[in-house]
Protein backbone atom coordinates (compact mmCIF):
# COMPACT_ATOMS: atom_id res chain seq x y z
CA UNK A 1 0.00 0.00 0.00
CA UNK A 2 1.10 3.50 -0.60
CA UNK A 3 1.43 5.99 2.22
CA UNK A 4 -1.60 7.94 0.93
CA UNK A 5 -3.88 4.95 1.37
CA UNK A 6 -2.56 4.19 4.83
CA UNK A 7 -3.36 7.69 6.06
CA UNK A 8 -6.98 7.37 4.87
CA UNK A 9 -7.47 3.98 6.51
CA UNK A 10 -5.73 4.93 9.75
CA UNK A 11 -8.42 7.56 10.42
CA UNK A 12 -11.12 4.90 10.32
CA UNK A 13 -9.12 2.24 12.14
CA UNK A 14 -8.61 4.41 15.22
CA UNK A 15 -12.37 4.46 15.76
CA UNK A 16 -12.86 0.69 15.99
CA UNK A 17 -15.93 0.18 18.15
CA UNK A 18 -19.23 -0.14 16.30
CA UNK A 19 -21.02 2.14 18.76
CA UNK A 20 -18.59 5.00 18.23
CA UNK A 21 -18.84 4.59 14.44
CA UNK A 22 -22.63 4.64 14.68
CA UNK A 23 -22.64 7.74 16.90
CA UNK A 24 -20.26 9.52 14.53
CA UNK A 25 -22.55 8.75 11.58
CA UNK A 26 -25.60 9.97 13.52
CA UNK A 27 -23.83 13.26 14.24
CA UNK A 28 -22.94 13.69 10.56
CA UNK A 29 -26.46 12.90 9.29
CA UNK A 30 -29.01 13.35 12.10
CA UNK A 31 -32.12 12.91 9.96
CA UNK A 32 -31.31 9.35 8.87
CA UNK A 33 -31.95 7.80 12.30
CA UNK A 34 -35.03 10.01 12.67
CA UNK A 35 -36.36 8.61 9.37
CA UNK A 36 -35.56 5.07 10.43
CA UNK A 37 -37.28 5.51 13.79
CA UNK A 38 -40.32 7.09 12.15
CA UNK A 39 -40.53 4.24 9.66
CA UNK A 40 -40.43 1.71 12.50
CA UNK A 41 -43.13 3.62 14.42
CA UNK A 42 -45.44 3.80 11.39
CA UNK A 43 -45.00 0.09 10.69
CA UNK A 44 -45.57 -0.78 14.37
CA UNK A 45 -48.70 1.35 14.51
CA UNK A 46 -49.96 -0.17 11.26
CA UNK A 47 -49.44 -3.68 12.55
CA UNK A 48 -51.22 -2.78 15.78
CA UNK A 49 -54.18 -1.33 13.85
CA UNK A 50 -54.27 -4.39 11.58
CA UNK A 51 -56.55 -6.15 14.08
CA UNK A 52 -58.99 -3.24 14.27
CA UNK A 53 -59.25 -2.31 10.60
CA UNK A 54 -62.98 -3.08 10.47
CA UNK A 55 -64.35 -3.93 7.05
CA UNK A 56 -61.34 -2.46 5.20
CA UNK A 57 -59.56 -4.94 2.93
CA UNK A 58 -56.13 -6.04 4.09
CA UNK A 59 -54.47 -5.01 0.82
CA UNK A 60 -55.84 -1.48 1.15
CA UNK A 61 -54.66 -1.27 4.76
CA UNK A 62 -51.17 -2.43 3.75
CA UNK A 63 -51.03 0.10 0.92
CA UNK A 64 -51.93 2.90 3.33
CA UNK A 65 -49.31 1.71 5.81
CA UNK A 66 -46.64 1.56 3.09
CA UNK A 67 -47.46 5.05 1.81
CA UNK A 68 -47.33 6.49 5.34
CA UNK A 69 -43.98 4.84 6.10
CA UNK A 70 -42.46 5.95 2.80
CA UNK A 71 -43.80 9.46 3.29
CA UNK A 72 -42.14 9.70 6.68
CA UNK A 73 -38.79 8.50 5.31
CA UNK A 74 -38.92 10.82 2.28
CA UNK A 75 -39.84 13.73 4.56
CA UNK A 76 -36.90 12.97 6.86
CA UNK A 77 -34.51 12.72 3.90
CA UNK A 78 -35.81 16.01 2.51
CA UNK A 79 -35.34 17.71 5.88
CA UNK A 80 -31.82 16.29 6.05
CA UNK A 81 -30.92 17.62 2.61
CA UNK A 82 -32.35 21.04 3.43
CA UNK A 83 -30.47 21.06 6.74
CA UNK A 84 -27.17 20.18 5.08
CA UNK A 85 -27.72 22.81 2.38
CA UNK A 86 -28.52 25.40 5.04
CA UNK A 87 -25.44 24.45 7.03
CA UNK A 88 -23.19 24.51 3.95
CA UNK A 89 -24.45 27.59 2.13
CA UNK A 90 -26.14 29.87 4.66
CA UNK A 91 -24.15 29.19 7.82
CA UNK A 92 -20.92 28.77 5.84
CA UNK A 93 -17.92 29.38 8.08
CA UNK A 94 -15.80 32.42 7.30
CA UNK A 95 -12.61 31.53 5.49
Amino acid sequence: MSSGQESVFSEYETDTSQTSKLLRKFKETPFVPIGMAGFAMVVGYGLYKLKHRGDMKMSLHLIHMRVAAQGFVVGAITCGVLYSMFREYVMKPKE
Side-chain angles (χ1 to χ4, degrees):
M1 272 201 258
S2 69
S3 62
Q5 289 177 345
E6 290 173 7
S7 64
V8 171
F9 292 127
S10 65
E11 177 185 336
Y12 292 105
E13 289 174 356
T14 58
D15 207 13
T16 56
S17 73
Q18 293 295 328
T19 307
S20 59
K21 287 181 184 179
L22 190 62
L23 290 175
R24 181 175 46 89
K25 276 296 195 189
F26 285 171
K27 287 178 185 176
E28 291 174 2
T29 54
F31 287 95
V32 172
I34 293 171
M36 290 167 48
F39 175 80
M41 288 189 312
V42 168
V43 169
Y45 179 74
L47 290 174
Y48 173 74
K49 291 302 258 182
L50 189 62
K51 286 178 130 178
H52 308 290
R53 69 182 186 271
D55 59 350
M56 183 186 297
K57 290 184 178 179
M58 181 180 265
S59 62
L60 187 61
H61 176 75
L62 293 175
I63 289 171
H64 288 169
M65 189 173 68
R66 179 186 63 88
V67 168
Q70 283 180 329
F72 197 94
V73 171
V74 168
I77 290 172
T78 303
C79 289
V81 167
L82 291 174
Y83 173 72
S84 66
M85 287 175 59
F86 176 77
R87 194 173 60 187
E88 185 174 334
Y89 296 113
V90 176
M91 301 298 291
K92 189 173 184 178
K94 306 276 183 187
E95 293 180 6

